[in-house]
């Protein structure tokens, strides 16, 4: 069992299109048996952890994320995209400056975390900061 969340980028409260080139650069080396234009991927980290990833222009959904290397991949993706990570109860962001770009109703639920695998793990375990 693992976590499920999604990555999104905002500007002035509105969702922005994610950079498909960056998504492919980060995910392609870890994708299992995927064609370059696949939107549904099985991504495997070096430690063997796997997650299902769905890519669209407005977000990247990640399902059944295990602890370990998959969180490193997600953190790299979020960092390179300048994206926030949406959880059921709020948002994780790598920099305080991202808060101003979030929609008004979401700013209060956002928490700044170290955008690394370890930083995400601490946040997901309940430490959030």
């Amino acid at each position: 069992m693992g976590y499920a969340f999604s990555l999104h980028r905002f500007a002035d409260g509105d969702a922005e299109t994610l950079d498909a080139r960056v998504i492919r650069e980060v995910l392609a080396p870890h994708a299992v048996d995927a064609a370059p234009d696949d939107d549904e991927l099985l991504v495997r980290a070096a430690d063997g952890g796997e997650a299902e990833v769905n890519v669209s222009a407005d977000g990247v959904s990640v399902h059944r994320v295990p602890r370990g290397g998959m969180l490193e991949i997600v953190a790299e993706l979020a960092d390179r995209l300048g994206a926030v990570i949406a959880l059921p109860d709020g948002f994780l962001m790598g920099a305080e400056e991202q808060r101003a770009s979030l929609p008004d109703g979401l700013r209060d639920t956002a928490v700044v975390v170290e955008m690394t695998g370890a930083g995400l793990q601490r946040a997901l375990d309940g430490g959030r900061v």
Side-chain angles (χ1 to χ4, degrees):
M1 180 143 158
Y3 305 100
F5 41 75
S6 57
L7 286 72
H8 304 276
R9 182 175 165 88
F10 296 94
D12 298 321
D14 295 320
E16 281 193 322
T17 301
L18 297 176
D19 187 334
R21 180 189 55 79
V22 171
I23 294 169
R24 298 296 175 201
E25 284 177 5
V26 173
L27 297 181
H30 309 285
V32 178
D33 298 327
D37 59 346
D38 283 352
D39 292 333
E40 295 181 11
L41 307 167
L42 177 63
V43 176
R44 182 178 299 140
D47 65 4
E50 296 179 343
E52 297 172 8
V53 178
N54 295 4
V55 178
S56 70
D58 61 345
V60 175
S61 299
V62 189
H63 306 279
R64 293 197 286 273
V65 180
R67 294 175 175 265
M70 275 307 305
L71 289 176
E72 287 292 339
I73 295 169
V74 170
E76 178 185 355
L77 185 59
D79 184 55
R80 294 213 24 219
L81 288 170
V84 296
I85 299 174
L87 303 172
D89 60 346
F91 286 83
L92 303 177
M93 55 190 179
E96 180 60 39
E97 295 77 28
Q98 291 175 289
R99 188 179 309 276
S101 295
L102 293 172
D104 287 336
L106 304 179
R107 291 180 186 148
D108 293 340
T109 64
V111 177
V112 177
V113 299
E114 177 187 6
M115 199 51 72
T116 64
L120 290 182
Q121 189 62 63
R122 282 190 297 276
L124 294 169
D125 285 345
R128 289 282 172 104
V129 274

